[in-house]
């Protein structure tokens, strides 16, 4: 988003302000007026000086033309002719300098009307009418923030980069933006209700990974029609990395990590544990999607794995009715919603 500190380009007393604090303004709208009287006088002076020098140039050019004609007839010496020609050229250069001075005076007069360089929302007055303003002032007169549209910046782990790029190429990379609101309705998981999500399309993936965090920046542009978002606001961002269809899932606690990779303990019909290597395609805090190694309906050990060895007889100690079997999952695999600086 563009943030512009409006500064004067000339010195003078500030006469008036043409907007209210917090007002939405458009590019080209009048904001401030600096007293134009000294600059109007300077412009008239420059124009008058130019007209005087133009008259002198016309006379000198005529003398130079006559001297050139008479020199060809031998009536005037070459030296006299050259002096008159040089005088005419000098006055022509003076007229050009006068034109530049008049243009500069006109430009300074234009600077007395300060207009908005962007569409945006104004902040508080930094200088009030009646004060003397200077081009060298660092604070400026007002700050304007562009808030239609706004850009939402967040970071995701570099391990998701390939998936993000694939979805970007397919024009399917969007995020759900949720405004942080203490009074917002939350679901059973304590997250904002999905109805509060604003779908926003991602239009930028960074070109460098942050070495400190191992993440890459993404940005999404939101038109912000109702002005619900403002620059600097902290929001929650949720994005879908991949949709897994008819995928076998097991509880996250069932996954173990060994020297040869991930594995689970599968309980056969004789209630004996078997070690089974698995390929995990996705996992979050509660479930893990299995690409291979476990079939639908098989039971896996989710607790007490340190006491389990291949071939040992195990007993189910979970409460009656709790499911420990792998299942198919036709839902979406999505990273947890996080803040705009580390969204997923």
């Amino acid at each position: 988003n563009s943030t512009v500190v409006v500064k004067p380009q000339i010195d003078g007393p500030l006469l008036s302000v043409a907007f209210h604090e917090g007002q939405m303004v458009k590019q080209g709208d009048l904001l401030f007026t600096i007293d134009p009287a000294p600059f109007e006088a300077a412009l008239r002076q420059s124009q008058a000086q130019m007209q005087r020098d133009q008259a002198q140039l016309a006379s000198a050019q005529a003398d130079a033309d006559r001297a050139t004609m008479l020199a060809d007839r031998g009536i005037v010496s070459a030296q006299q002719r050259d002096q008159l020609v040089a005088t005419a050229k000098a006055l022509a250069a003076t007229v050009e300098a006068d034109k530049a001075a008049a243009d500069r005076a006109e430009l300074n007069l234009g600077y007395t009307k300060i207009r908005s360089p962007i569409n945006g929302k104004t902040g508080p007055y930094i200088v009030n009418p009646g004060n003397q303003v200077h081009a060298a002032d660092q604070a400026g007169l007002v700050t304007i923030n562009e808030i239609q549209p706004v850009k939402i910046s967040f970071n995701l782990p570099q391990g998701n980069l390939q998936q993000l790029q694939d979805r970007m190429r397919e024009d399917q990379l969007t995020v759900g933006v949720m405004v942080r609101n203490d009074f917002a309705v939350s679901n059973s998981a304590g997250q904002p209700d999905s109805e509060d999500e604003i779908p926003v399309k991602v239009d930028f993936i960074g070109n460098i990974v942050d070495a400190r965090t191992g993440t890459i920046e993404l940005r999404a542009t939101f038109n912000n029609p109702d002005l619900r978002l403002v620059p600097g606001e902290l929001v929650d961002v949720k994005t879908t990395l991949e949709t897994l269809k008819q995928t076998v899932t097991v509880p996250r606690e069932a996954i173990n990590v060994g020297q040869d990779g991930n594995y689970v303990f599968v309980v056969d019909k004789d209630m004996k544990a078997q070690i089974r290597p698995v390929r995990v395609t996705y996992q979050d805090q509660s479930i893990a999607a299995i690409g291979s190694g476990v079939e639908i309906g098989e039971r896996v050990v989710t607790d007490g794995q340190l006491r389990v060895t291949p071939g040992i007889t195990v007993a189910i100690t979970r409460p009656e009715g709790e499911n420990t079997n792998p299942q198919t999952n036709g839902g979406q695999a999505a990273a947890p919603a996080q803040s705009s600086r580390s969204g997923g």
Side-chain angles (χ1 to χ4, degrees):
N1 296 79
S2 299
T3 298
V4 176
V5 178
V6 178
K7 297 181 179 181
Q9 300 189 59
I10 54 174
D11 299 346
L14 188 64
L15 286 186
S16 63
V17 178
F19 67 96
H20 300 292
E21 294 176 319
Q23 178 180 330
M24 295 294 297
V25 294
K26 296 181 179 180
Q27 184 178 10
D29 285 354
L30 179 64
L31 301 178
F32 300 95
T33 300
I34 297 175
D35 185 6
F39 303 97
E40 291 171 345
L43 176 60
R44 291 195 299 270
Q45 183 180 7
S46 297
Q47 291 172 337
Q49 186 170 340
M50 180 175 63
Q51 291 172 356
R52 182 198 63 188
D53 290 339
Q54 284 175 333
Q56 292 179 352
L57 172 61
S59 176
Q61 188 63 54
D63 291 343
D65 292 341
R66 285 192 296 269
T68 299
M69 180 183 64
L70 294 175
D72 293 340
R73 299 177 182 179
I75 299 176
V76 173
S77 67
Q79 182 179 7
Q80 289 178 311
R81 177 200 62 193
D82 293 343
Q83 288 177 344
L84 292 173
V85 169
T87 300
K89 289 182 177 180
L91 284 171
T94 300
V95 169
E96 290 299 317
D98 292 340
K99 288 180 179 179
D103 290 343
R104 179 62 183 175
E106 188 173 5
L107 186 63
N108 285 338
L109 179 60
Y111 287 152
T112 61
K113 301 290 186 181
I114 302 176
R115 301 183 181 276
S116 176
I118 61 171
N119 299 334
K121 185 175 183 178
T122 60
Y125 302 145
I126 299 176
V127 179
N128 291 302
N131 286 285
Q132 187 81 10
V133 297
H134 304 277
D137 293 341
Q138 295 299 315
L141 303 176
V142 71
T143 299
I144 302 176
N145 279 315
E146 182 185 23
I147 59 176
Q148 285 183 318
V150 293
K151 291 189 179 295
I152 302 164
S153 174
F154 58 100
N155 290 66
L156 288 178
Q158 60 181 335
N160 299 133
L161 181 57
Q162 186 61 54
Q163 293 170 302
L164 293 169
Q165 290 175 332
D166 290 343
R167 294 187 72 85
M168 188 82 164
R169 281 191 292 267
E170 296 169 359
D171 199 27
Q172 295 182 356
L173 186 56
T174 59
V175 294
V177 179
M178 292 157 287
V179 179
R180 294 196 170 187
N181 185 348
D182 292 339
F183 301 99
V185 177
S186 299
N187 57 28
S188 58
Q191 298 295 332
D193 193 274
S194 59
E195 294 182 357
D196 297 329
E197 290 183 15
I198 308 169
V200 185
K201 186 176 180 179
V202 176
D203 51 16
F204 170 81
I205 297 179
N207 59 357
I208 188 172
V209 173
D210 190 328
R212 298 171 300 172
T213 62
T215 60
I216 189 165
E217 182 188 14
L218 290 86
R219 294 180 186 174
T221 302
F222 177 49
N223 289 331
N224 202 23
D226 54 2
L227 307 180
R228 70 174 69 181
L229 301 181
V230 296
E233 183 176 2
L234 193 63
V235 297
D236 294 318
V237 178
K238 181 175 69 176
T239 183
T240 298
L241 299 178
E242 186 178 0
T243 300
L244 304 176
K245 299 180 180 180
Q246 298 300 316
T247 298
V248 177
T249 63
V250 298
R252 174 66 182 83
E253 308 87 65
I255 302 299
N256 304 283
V257 180
Q259 293 181 349
D260 298 326
N262 294 320
Y263 68 92
V264 298
F265 286 108
V266 177
V267 181
D268 62 19
K269 61 182 180 180
D270 297 326
M271 300 301 293
K272 294 185 180 297
Q274 298 177 3
I275 191 168
R276 189 82 60 81
V278 293
R279 181 173 61 88
V280 178
T281 57
Y282 169 81
Q283 60 182 336
D284 60 19
Q285 295 177 349
S286 58
I287 65 170
I290 306 299
S292 62
V294 177
E295 300 296 332
I296 297 174
E298 291 186 306
R299 290 178 292 185
V300 296
V301 178
T302 60
D303 190 20
Q305 289 96 327
L306 293 178
R307 301 190 302 272
V308 178
T309 58
I312 192 174
T313 300
V314 299
I316 299 177
T317 58
R318 286 190 178 276
E320 185 69 23
E322 184 171 345
N323 184 19
T324 60
N325 294 342
Q327 307 170 39
T328 58
N329 180 16
Q332 292 182 338
Q338 299 186 18
S339 73
S340 61
R341 290 190 290 269
S342 59

